[in-house]
Amino acid sequence: MILIVGGAGYIGSHLNKEINKKGIETVIFDNLSYGHRDFVKWGTFEKGDLGNIDDIRNVFKKYPIEAVMHFAAFTYVGESVEDPQKYYTNNVKNTLNLLQVMLEENVKYFVFSSTCATYGNPVEIPITENHPQNPINPYGKGKLMVETVLKDYSDAYGLKYASLRYFNAAGADPESEVGELHNPETHLIPLILDVAAGRREDIKIFGTDYDTPDGTCIRDYIHVTDLAEAHILALEYLQNSGESDFFNLGNGNGFSVKEVIETAEEVTGKNIKAVEAERRAGDPPILVGSSDKAKEKLNWKPKYDELSTIIETAWNWHKKLK
Ligand code: UDP
């Protein structure tokens, strides 16, 4: 059985669906602080909090857990600057609790949700796994701290980990059973779709004077179902004696904010009112990753890499929301 920590959230719920499709049993552990109970449509749900080590121990005692995938983290970069304690406590300290129980129970396999935010401002595009890691906010710093812990635990205790550094997760399950639902929502694509659905007046474009072809920021949007597939491959890789390692997961193609808005207009058939606004603090002009390592070592083949497909799956889910 696989323990999915944070399996009621956006990426964890998509992974839970895809891994169950392959006949692998799951237990979902989530405190529902940001996750949604009705996103847990597969496997067994156990409500619990990583801050309470006995909650974790109870789950490991109750189920034959062979591996852990860890998605439970706070992800608002701006909030991490204002309230770093919240981020270091949940994203670092609580992850150490989870690893502690894994060691107690002799569970060796760990797939970790890391982030391209561990790289900080890019000095080279595309970003490979060897790019220097100089995170510029507590969110990215906390994720890098966990990566450091994983290396040391692997050397000392034989933990087998794959740390997956996501670029911009986007889109939704092509069958619309789960999707993206954050509160508050800060991400570009769901905000644009709120405008398309008439739930929001306009989308603010944060900065139009960047050194990019159309002046707006370029990001690497990767479909959430492709991300889910990479987790399954990473686990198989570890179980087949693959070395613990770090992998970027991105599309390899960058799209500007304006391109995303234009594509969303085509996909939805709606006019999307865009308003030019000030730059958002801490946004690098371009973030595009190379995922060649995941393709080569994990045999990962993203299926939904067209921006229009990413937005279409997101829209099919989004337009059902109340
Ligand atoms: N963005 C924007 N308006 C918004 C939200 C985001 O222009 O209302 C831009 C943001 O500045 C960035 C890109 O869209 O360049 C993607 O932002 P998002 O918050 O989705 O992801 P991030 O790259 O911050 O992880």
Side-chain angles (χ1 to χ4, degrees):
M1 253 183 158
I2 309 300
L3 180 66
I4 307 175
V5 180
Y10 172 43
I11 302 172
S13 63
H14 284 78
L15 173 277
N16 188 30
K17 172 168 180 168
E18 296 307 313
I19 200 165
N20 271 276
K21 270 194 198 165
K22 299 195 194 292
I24 298 172
E25 287 189 294
T26 57
V27 185
I28 291 79
F29 181 90
D30 201 299
N31 67 5
L32 300 182
S33 63
Y34 286 92
H36 310 283
R37 178 64 185 86
D38 59 352
F39 278 23
V40 186
K41 297 184 171 167
W42 308 271
T44 307
F45 180 64
E46 290 283 346
K47 188 170 179 190
D49 197 302
L50 288 181
N52 180 356
I53 200 154
D54 285 332
D55 281 2
I56 313 173
R57 288 192 176 118
N58 289 340
V59 170
F60 278 78
K61 292 276 179 264
K62 196 165 163 189
Y63 301 95
I65 309 283
E66 304 146 62
V68 177
M69 296 196 182
H70 179 29
F71 299 89
F74 297 145
T75 59
Y76 296 108
V77 169
E79 185 185 51
S80 81
V81 176
E82 283 152 29
D83 191 3
Q85 180 172 243
K86 176 171 176 179
Y87 279 71
Y88 290 125
T89 302
N90 189 45
N91 296 6
V92 182
K93 188 176 165 199
N94 291 351
T95 300
L96 296 185
N97 288 345
L98 175 61
L99 292 170
Q100 181 181 331
V101 179
M102 287 181 65
L103 296 181
E104 287 170 6
E105 297 291 332
N106 205 22
V107 174
K108 292 275 179 229
Y109 301 111
F110 189 67
V111 180
F112 178 60
S113 298
S114 189
T115 167
C116 65
T118 59
Y119 295 115
N121 286 321
V123 293
E124 204 173 61
I125 297 286
I127 298 170
T128 68
E129 290 81 357
N130 298 324
H131 187 285
Q133 286 180 294
N134 292 307
I136 55 170
N137 50 62
Y139 169 68
K141 288 179 196 173
K143 290 283 183 176
L144 180 57
M145 285 175 195
V146 174
E147 289 199 345
T148 307
V149 168
L150 292 179
K151 271 188 232 157
D152 290 344
Y153 281 22
S154 169
D155 291 344
Y157 312 122
L159 181 79
K160 303 280 180 201
Y161 66 84
S163 180
L164 306 181
R165 297 177 183 152
Y166 312 155
F167 283 72
N168 286 55
D173 167 32
E175 288 148 355
S176 291
E177 290 190 276
V178 282
E180 185 168 18
L181 184 60
H182 296 112
N183 184 18
E185 187 54 79
T186 60
H187 292 110
L188 181 64
I189 293 176
L191 288 175
I192 289 174
L193 297 180
D194 272 345
V195 181
R199 281 193 290 270
R200 180 178 290 271
E201 174 111 356
D202 56 36
I203 182 78
K204 309 261 181 300
I205 302 179
F206 295 149
T208 51
D209 58 352
Y210 283 101
D211 187 12
T212 59
D214 67 16
T216 66
C217 284
I218 293 177
R219 292 289 178 274
D220 180 332
Y221 297 90
I222 175 75
H223 195 279
V224 63
T225 302
D226 286 331
L227 276 186
E229 194 60 36
H231 288 71
I232 300 170
L233 293 169
L235 178 62
E236 282 172 2
Y237 160 87
L238 293 177
Q239 289 175 326
N240 291 325
S241 308
E243 289 287 307
S244 293
D245 214 338
F246 304 90
F247 298 95
N248 284 345
L249 296 178
N251 189 333
N253 289 310
F255 299 99
S256 74
V257 174
K258 282 188 177 164
E259 284 175 308
V260 175
I261 296 170
E262 280 159 20
T263 307
E265 286 190 316
E266 285 161 23
V267 168
T268 63
K270 312 270 183 194
N271 270 329
I272 293 165
K273 187 177 170 198
V275 176
E276 298 193 357
E278 291 298 301
R279 290 182 176 196
R280 185 173 71 176
D283 267 341
I286 305 179
L287 280 177
V288 177
S290 159
S291 305
D292 289 352
K293 184 171 164 182
K295 288 179 182 154
E296 280 159 26
K297 290 184 83 170
L298 305 179
N299 203 18
W300 181 53
K301 297 185 190 78
K303 284 199 288 205
Y304 305 100
D305 52 358
E306 297 283 333
L307 182 61
S308 56
T309 313
I310 293 173
I311 295 178
E312 193 180 354
T313 58
W315 176 235
N316 288 340
W317 155 261
H318 207 86
K319 66 187 177 193
K320 294 195 311 186
L321 296 174
K322 300 260 160 21

